Amino acid sequence: MNEFLQDGAWLPFAFAFLIGLSMLLYAVLDGYDLGVGLLSRFVERPDRDRMVGSIGPYWDANETWLVLGVGLLLVAFPAAHGLVLGELYLPVAIMLVGLIFRGVSFDFRKKVAPEKQEGWDRTFFLGSLVVALSQGYMVGRFVVGFQSGWISELFSVFFGFLVVAGYGLMGAAWLILKTEDALQRFAVKWARRAIWAMVAAALLSSLTAPFVNTRIYDRMFAFPEATLLIAMPLVSMLLTVIMHFLLGALPMPGDRLSAMPFAISVSIFVLGFVGLVYSFYPYIVPGQLRIVEAAAAPESLRVILIGTAIVFPFLVGYTVFAYRVFRGKATDLSYD
């Protein structure tokens, strides 16, 4: 054990954990504000302003977790970074275009002349949709280890739909927490639709998964891995049923249980993420590069770890501070 700690053999696993944690935090935090963007096309202008106001104080900070995760992948696992970005060059470029248009429209929609605001609102929605679809597609391609063939492409497309539905669910759950009256009732309605859309997309992905090597099914029939990999979908199904009945009772007097849909949707995301990561461990790129093989030299990782230890608490602290300061119901976003 002491030798394991002294020779730095633990460092690749520590960085794999930090990358996974950063990506999970990004998926949850930026996922709900992308979901709000997806839902913004289905309401009128006043409600749309309130929806954008609900994510205004947070959305820039949410995206820093993606920057951290990709940055750590570059410096800690350069071989994996090159392989992943080489395979995903086009969808990454499309995602970046979507992020750019989404960011520009977020500000311009309130600053331009009234007759041009609708166009920027449409761009905000389209940017959110492009980002969500491209991220889901990229995760699907990553999970199958960038295998070729139409089945693996179909799996990735279905996974893209799954992520869009999941983001829509978290966005609706966020609005249930942060809004009131008619907009809150709208969010409840869309959450009920999104959760079953997510179930449908998950079933489609599961039907194609046996025809590509995701390693999930290999572990599902091996003990003790089978216990964990079967338990997580069962818990997710239970949470889905609980969410369905809870949404049927919302909104409640006094805004009771308004935070529960968001907590449940986040829990479903976390369970899905942990299940995927566990299915391809110890690979950093499923089926191609193992964590130890792709890691930088221990001397480099020690230096990087010092910088990470400085930056990480600031990101966590700022995130906690922002959510604490802007807690409560949302108001209209204004630049006055």
Side-chain angles (χ1 to χ4, degrees):
M1 184 64 178
N2 289 334
E3 184 178 341
F4 178 80
L5 295 175
Q6 290 174 1
D7 64 9
W10 60 277
L11 285 167
F13 299 97
F15 275 97
F17 172 79
L18 289 173
I19 292 169
L21 179 60
S22 299
M23 292 303 186
L24 176 59
L25 288 172
Y26 170 77
V28 170
L29 296 178
D30 206 41
Y32 78 74
D33 72 55
L34 284 166
V36 170
L38 292 171
L39 298 177
S40 65
R41 286 303 300 165
F42 303 101
V43 297
E44 297 300 322
R45 179 77 193 197
D47 284 336
R48 196 175 298 152
D49 290 341
R50 184 64 56 87
M51 291 170 69
V52 173
S54 75
I55 62 175
Y58 316 107
W59 75 288
D60 272 334
N62 293 343
E63 293 177 353
T64 58
W65 294 104
L66 177 63
V67 176
L68 177 65
V70 174
L72 288 178
L73 181 66
L74 170 62
V75 296
F77 301 98
H81 181 273
L83 175 60
V84 170
L85 289 192
E87 293 284 349
L88 298 177
Y89 182 84
L90 182 58
V92 166
I94 293 172
M95 181 190 72
L96 291 176
V97 170
L99 286 171
I100 291 169
F101 274 91
R102 186 171 182 267
V104 171
S105 60
F106 188 94
D107 290 328
F108 276 34
R109 61 179 299 279
K110 288 290 285 186
K111 293 182 178 180
V112 297
E115 62 272 15
K116 297 181 179 179
Q117 290 177 347
E118 182 65 25
W120 286 110
D121 283 341
R122 190 178 298 110
T123 303
F124 182 63
F125 162 75
L126 290 174
S128 301
L129 180 61
V130 167
V131 172
L133 271 175
S134 58
Q135 287 181 0
Y137 175 80
M138 286 189 288
V139 173
R141 293 292 298 145
F142 179 81
V143 168
V144 300
F146 309 115
Q147 297 172 55
S148 59
W150 68 271
I151 289 290
S152 61
E153 288 290 339
L154 190 62
F155 174 85
S156 302
V157 170
F158 287 153
F159 212 94
F161 293 148
L162 174 61
V163 169
V164 170
Y167 283 174
L169 173 63
M170 283 203 296
W174 175 257
L175 292 174
I176 294 171
L177 172 64
K178 298 291 286 185
T179 62
E180 300 173 292
D181 303 324
L183 185 53
Q184 189 180 51
R185 291 191 293 271
F186 159 83
V188 170
K189 179 182 72 175
W190 274 98
R192 297 188 74 174
R193 295 178 180 180
I195 194 167
W196 293 114
M198 189 174 70
V199 169
L203 288 175
L204 289 173
S205 299
S206 299
L207 289 174
T208 53
F211 300 99
V212 290
N213 183 20
T214 61
R215 303 186 75 242
I216 296 176
Y217 287 90
D218 293 340
R219 291 201 163 189
M220 283 184 69
F221 297 103
F223 188 83
E225 289 90 342
T227 306
L228 181 62
L229 285 176
I230 293 176
M232 285 189 291
L234 290 177
V235 173
S236 297
M237 291 170 59
L238 177 61
L239 290 174
T240 300
V241 173
I242 292 172
M243 174 83 97
H244 174 76
F245 287 106
L246 175 63
L247 291 170
L250 291 175
M252 293 183 178
D255 209 36
R256 290 187 296 115
L257 300 182
S258 64
M260 283 297 295
F262 188 70
I264 293 173
S265 62
V266 170
S267 299
I268 293 172
F269 249 73
V270 171
L271 286 169
F273 183 87
V274 172
L276 285 177
V277 170
Y278 188 72
S279 69
F280 57 71
Y281 175 83
Y283 288 90
I284 190 72
V285 178
Q288 298 199 41
L289 284 177
R290 294 177 182 269
I291 293 173
V292 175
E293 297 169 346
E299 296 79 9
S300 300
L301 293 179
R302 286 192 176 94
V303 174
I304 299 166
L305 186 62
I306 295 172
T308 306
I310 296 172
V311 171
F312 202 84
F314 278 99
L315 289 179
V316 173
Y318 173 76
T319 300
V320 172
F321 177 76
Y323 280 84
R324 180 175 177 80
V325 168
F326 296 102
R327 66 186 182 276
K329 296 297 183 180
T331 58
D332 293 340
L333 184 64
S334 174
Y335 293 92
D336 297 332

